[in-house]
Amino acid sequence: MRKASFKTFLAASAICMIAMTSCCGTTSGNGETADSPKYIFLFIGDGMGAGHAAVTESYLSYKAGKLGGEQLCFSEFPVLGTCTTYSADHQITCSSAAGTAISCGVKTNNGYLGVDPQCNKLKSIAYELKDNGYKIGIMSSVPVNHATPAAFYGHNPDREDYYSISMEIPESGFDFFGGSGFLQFKGKDGKSRPTPEVLEERGYTVCFGETAFRAEMDSTDHIVFIQPSGKDAEAGNYEVNDEKENDSRLAEMLQMGLDFITDSQPFFIMCEGGEIDWAAHDNMTMPMVDAVLRFNEAVQTAYEFYLTHKDETLILVTADHETGGITLGCNGSLSIDWKVLEEAWEEEGEPSSQDENRKLNGYGIGWTSSNHTGAPVPIYAIGCGAERFAGRMDNTEIMGRILGKVSTIQE
Ligand SMILES: [Zn+2]
């Protein structure tokens, strides 16, 4: 069965490759020809399984006065696949192992980042594409040195060695970085030099807020955008759903990245919605829905770019893993009482404990875990090369499929 479907996929891929040659054959900066799309957006909704999207769409339908039918931008994409997410040492992955699988095509241990289980350094798709003349943008709604964005530029067997990971930003040579702040702003002990100071010294312009970004963007080739509230040493430690006044939304951060790197050169942008996972760990339905909607806004921004560059753009939307084991319906309930859920949320505010959050679960939304689960995650695709993402795959196959190296698929 597995072999049959694999062969079918290869046959289908071969047809797609022929059909896509004209749009996906990109002459690279070093003269080689890569079979990757010219403009690539990879969106990672941290912890966003099929259930998170379904629950958010249920909420949108409720707001539209319907039982169902409302859709997120990305769930309207024409190609849908599913990814398995287990890591090298656990059935249930963490974000750094899953980020590494997606970015480098190799399974590693939970907690490891950009290195294999033997601690050998891996080369991510961002480095691979940079070598082929692509501009690179890495951005997240959470700190820029958190696991998912870091999996595209960092190499460390300890995902929480944040200060060292930040120091790999200038080594990467990537064009644009964006995030809410830097974890371990002044090092593990709080006594090292502030991260922005070191990055500036090593050739990167660090801007706090959009006004500063717009003022600097034309006078530098390497830039790090940090939310205004990320200027303080502690501010990188965001609370869930705690968008500070004057902070940019993820869609605005993506627009900044696009404005910075867009010209005739090819680009690869990884854009993470990081707080979806954080809300799901705490089983907080409404903040999770809000986080998915903000993530969806960013996808919409990429979709607008796609509409004017249809033959050259690939948009992928996926997750590193599912978080919380969320279900649409629980405890025998056949409906979701969004009105009660919304009102209960507004009345109780943001509960401080998971037990308090679970009290709000009696209205049709179920949560089964306070951690990640091993549920396969969806991958939604549109544009040049999207056909490569139909059907079942493992997260280690995503990189090869983006690059057009179908031979990397493991039987
Ligand atoms: Zn998590």
Side-chain angles (χ1 to χ4, degrees):
M1 186 66 187
R2 180 81 181 91
K3 278 195 174 173
S5 60
F6 175 65
K7 279 179 187 160
T8 307
F9 172 75
L10 277 190
S13 297
I15 294 164
C16 292
M17 293 304 162
I18 293 162
M20 292 186 303
T21 304
S22 59
C23 71
C24 290
T26 303
T27 303
S28 64
N30 60 11
E32 290 173 13
T33 297
D35 195 18
S36 46
K38 184 172 181 184
Y39 304 119
I40 304 167
F41 293 90
L42 172 59
F43 287 91
I44 300 179
D46 201 307
M48 189 187 74
H52 302 71
V55 166
T56 304
E57 290 183 341
S58 169
Y59 176 72
L60 291 176
S61 299
Y62 155 71
K63 294 304 264 185
K66 301 190 289 188
L67 289 176
E70 289 297 304
Q71 285 189 259
L72 293 158
C73 173
F74 53 84
S75 75
E76 296 196 57
F77 288 0
V79 177
L80 178 63
T82 66
C83 293
T84 45
T85 66
Y86 64 95
S87 70
D89 66 343
H90 284 81
Q91 286 155 315
I92 295 162
T93 189
C94 80
S95 288
S96 66
T100 302
I102 294 171
S103 65
C104 302
V106 175
K107 288 212 182 283
T108 193
N109 296 340
N110 283 8
Y112 285 30
L113 188 77
V115 295
D116 71 12
Q118 289 73 44
C119 290
N120 298 305
K121 269 189 168 185
L122 299 168
K123 185 176 185 179
S124 81
I125 185 171
Y127 285 100
E128 180 102 14
L129 288 171
K130 181 178 182 291
D131 286 350
N132 282 303
Y134 283 63
K135 289 200 168 187
I136 307 295
I138 304 293
M139 65 193 74
S140 174
S141 58
V142 301
V144 67
N145 53 355
H146 205 258
T148 305
F152 289 80
Y153 65 84
H155 309 83
N156 201 307
D158 177 7
R159 60 174 278 181
E160 293 182 1
D161 188 8
Y162 295 114
Y163 192 75
S164 303
I165 290 166
S166 295
M167 297 304 123
E168 291 200 71
I169 287 176
E171 283 178 33
S172 73
F174 296 167
D175 303 273
F176 177 94
F177 287 88
S180 65
F182 300 103
L183 292 162
Q184 294 176 358
F185 195 89
K186 291 183 181 174
K188 272 182 189 170
D189 55 4
K191 292 174 184 164
S192 301
R193 289 172 63 205
T195 303
E197 202 178 297
V198 183
L199 299 194
E200 291 266 358
E201 191 178 273
R202 297 183 187 174
Y204 275 71
T205 303
V206 182
C207 303
F208 292 91
E210 181 160 4
T211 305
F213 171 82
R214 296 285 171 198
E216 298 278 4
M217 64 178 279
D218 293 329
S219 56
T220 180
D221 291 330
H222 299 94
I223 204 159
V224 184
F225 166 82
I226 297 294
Q227 298 282 16
S229 59
K231 198 164 191 170
D232 305 322
E234 306 301 326
N237 295 303
Y238 264 35
E239 294 297 321
V240 169
N241 202 27
D242 193 16
E243 204 167 74
K244 311 282 196 302
E245 208 184 340
N246 302 323
D247 277 2
S248 301
R249 294 174 78 85
L250 185 60
E252 293 169 329
M253 196 192 296
L254 175 58
Q255 190 60 56
M256 284 182 244
L258 273 174
D259 292 346
F260 188 72
I261 67 179
T262 304
D263 54 23
S264 56
Q265 250 181 288
F267 67 73
F268 170 81
I269 288 177
M270 193 294 295
C271 180
E272 185 207 19
E275 76 282 29
I276 300 168
D277 176 65
W278 296 2
H281 272 284
D282 288 339
N283 295 170
M284 299 198 295
T285 301
M286 295 307 299
M288 184 283 291
V289 166
D290 186 54
V292 171
L293 290 175
R294 280 182 283 140
F295 178 68
N296 187 56
E297 266 179 29
V299 178
Q300 186 74 41
T301 297
Y303 183 70
E304 280 156 23
F305 179 91
Y306 159 82
L307 290 176
T308 54
H309 304 78
K310 275 188 177 177
D311 293 341
E312 301 172 302
T313 305
L314 170 66
I315 306 177
L316 294 175
V317 180
T318 190
D320 46 358
H321 51 73
E322 200 272 359
T323 302
I326 193 170
T327 60
L328 191 65
C330 72
N331 299 329
S333 163
L334 294 180
S335 59
I336 317 302
D337 197 336
W338 280 111
K339 188 168 185 293
V340 176
L341 195 62
E342 231 178 8
E343 283 171 2
W345 190 261
E346 280 162 15
E347 275 169 29
E348 298 197 19
E350 197 166 290
S352 55
S353 74
Q354 193 179 54
D355 283 346
E356 287 177 53
N357 287 311
R358 285 206 165 128
K359 282 183 200 158
L360 297 179
N361 283 350
Y363 309 106
I365 303 295
W367 295 91
T368 62
S369 178
S370 60
N371 210 330
H372 307 164
T373 75
V377 294
I379 181 162
Y380 311 85
I382 191 170
C384 179
E387 295 89 344
R388 300 169 192 170
F389 297 90
R392 179 194 162 110
M393 68 201 83
D394 185 63
N395 57 7
T396 52
E397 296 172 28
I398 293 173
M399 176 184 181
R401 293 189 190 211
I402 293 174
L403 297 174
K405 296 177 182 172
V406 179
S407 59
T408 59
I409 297 168
Q410 289 157 11
E411 202 163 340

